[in-house]
Amino acid sequence: MNWLTNFVRPKIRALVGNDVPDNLWEKCPKCEQMIFRKELEENLQVCPHCDNHMRLNVNSRIKSLFDDGDFTKIKYKSSVNDPLKFKDSKRYSDRLKAARENTKENDAVVVGYGRIGGQKVVAVFFLFEFMGGSMGVAVGEAIIAGAEYAVSKGYSFLVVPCSGGARMQEGIFSLMQMPRTVAAITRVKEAELPYIVLLTNPTTGGVSASFAMLGDIHIAEPGALIAFTGPRVIEGTIREKLPEGFQLSEYLLEHGMVDMVVHRKELKMKIANILSILTHKKATSNQE
């Protein structure tokens, strides 16, 4: 029996009426404690009991990072829908349509610019809810557009991946985004502009094997899975048990693969301070 649904909610409704929403609570997947959804939202989707960092949607992340939540989107080239006419249990074109209706975005990324602690930044945010944040041609075009805008304006470049890797419904077209995005990042570096990667859960596959691991600074959120291939696949291949915490942020920090693991509430000022050092411009303390 679900005690929350069958016992707690009826008791609350008996006291305050039938206006109690069904989604009042959320259970932490790590400690399994029940949390008021409003409290969780105010805490940036971080569990107040065990500090587990749950997935944060793009709008909330933008608001938490950019001064006054001010973020101007950049348009990028649209790609050819379903170039391979791919079909598995569903047609790829149908999956795209459903993802666009669900997220109100054209593809798995949002690109734009604003200020973080007063520092001018172009940022690319991945939407995991859009087909697992997978990287197809449109995502490649978005990263290229962001990099080119950063170079043209002399802004720093920030990428926040949250992705299962290349979008295999686009086959070789998706895999070609790996060298294309690497070339775009190379142009940012040649312009001597800061390039920071904020690794979130998960960052895997062709995303981690390309632009996501080329940052000047790699920041990771606590407990994020950062890998090329997931641990279950590796264990099944080598037939050995992997070390505890293998491929999580803290393990990668210990082994020199990321530069720092930073709590979500501290990310804005940490990024602002890093940019102030790299650009020789003083960061402001704007935390709105």
Side-chain angles (χ1 to χ4, degrees):
M1 183 179 81
N2 187 326
W3 68 271
L4 184 64
T5 301
N6 298 329
F7 181 77
V8 175
R9 187 177 293 139
K11 292 291 185 181
I12 296 175
R13 282 179 172 161
L15 292 172
V16 301
N18 291 324
D19 295 330
V20 178
D22 291 334
N23 60 347
L24 188 64
W25 303 79
E26 187 162 332
K27 184 168 75 171
C28 174
K30 185 176 180 181
C31 70
E32 299 187 343
Q33 290 288 326
M34 301 305 300
I35 314 162
F36 276 112
R37 186 175 293 273
K38 184 178 181 181
E39 179 186 1
L40 193 57
E41 290 173 354
E42 291 174 350
N43 208 39
L44 298 177
Q45 297 295 317
V46 177
C47 176
H49 303 287
C50 69
D51 218 34
N52 178 38
H53 282 52
M54 304 181 209
R55 191 164 294 125
L56 185 66
N57 67 52
V58 168
N59 289 335
S60 297
R61 191 175 289 280
I62 289 172
K63 185 177 179 180
S64 72
L65 288 178
F66 281 82
D67 298 348
D68 302 318
D70 189 9
F71 184 78
T72 303
K73 291 185 179 180
I74 297 171
K75 291 184 178 180
Y76 54 89
K77 293 180 182 178
S78 59
S79 61
V80 177
N81 287 338
D82 199 2
L84 303 179
K85 306 301 179 185
F86 189 93
K87 182 179 180 180
D88 44 38
S89 59
K90 292 183 180 179
R91 291 187 300 176
Y92 176 43
S93 57
D94 291 338
R95 292 186 185 276
L96 281 174
K97 182 179 178 181
R100 286 167 178 163
E101 290 176 353
N102 180 50
T103 63
K104 310 304 180 187
E105 296 292 344
N106 187 58
D107 215 281
V109 286
V110 170
V111 190
Y113 62 90
R115 293 176 182 266
I116 299 178
Q119 308 292 319
K120 295 178 180 178
V121 179
V122 175
V124 178
F125 295 93
F126 277 64
L127 292 80
F128 192 81
E129 57 269 35
F130 195 111
M131 297 187 67
S134 52
M135 179 172 65
V137 175
V139 170
E141 292 289 356
I143 293 172
I144 292 168
E148 290 179 345
Y149 193 89
V151 171
S152 69
K153 296 292 185 178
Y155 293 176
S156 301
F157 194 37
L158 168 70
V159 176
V160 187
C162 183
S163 174
R167 186 175 300 170
M168 299 317 296
Q169 290 90 343
E170 295 187 16
I172 189 63
F173 294 100
S174 66
L175 296 176
M176 284 303 297
Q177 304 318 302
M178 295 170 66
R180 292 185 76 218
T181 55
V182 169
I185 298 306
T186 299
R187 290 196 287 273
V188 174
K189 291 177 176 289
E190 288 174 345
E192 299 183 346
L193 297 170
Y195 172 48
I196 295 177
V197 182
L198 171 55
L199 299 159
T200 70
N201 183 45
T203 301
T204 58
V207 168
S208 66
S210 54
F211 63 88
M213 297 308 291
L214 295 177
D216 299 316
I217 301 290
H218 290 101
I219 305 171
E221 288 193 329
L225 174 65
I226 304 164
F228 178 70
T229 303
R232 284 183 297 178
V233 175
I234 296 174
E235 286 185 338
T237 302
I238 66 175
R239 301 183 185 280
E240 291 184 15
K241 186 69 177 176
L242 296 171
E244 185 70 25
F246 183 70
Q247 295 179 314
L248 298 184
S249 301
E250 294 77 10
Y251 186 93
L252 269 65
L253 176 64
E254 183 180 345
H255 291 79
M257 292 296 291
V258 301
D259 296 297
M260 59 190 76
V261 176
V262 180
H263 194 284
R264 189 171 287 162
K265 290 184 176 180
E266 300 172 1
L267 279 171
K268 178 176 180 177
M269 283 311 301
K270 179 65 70 174
I271 292 172
N273 288 336
I274 290 171
L275 290 175
S276 71
I277 293 170
L278 296 178
T279 61
H280 306 290
K281 297 177 182 178
K282 185 179 180 180
T284 64
S285 58
N286 187 345
Q287 289 292 305
E288 298 298 319

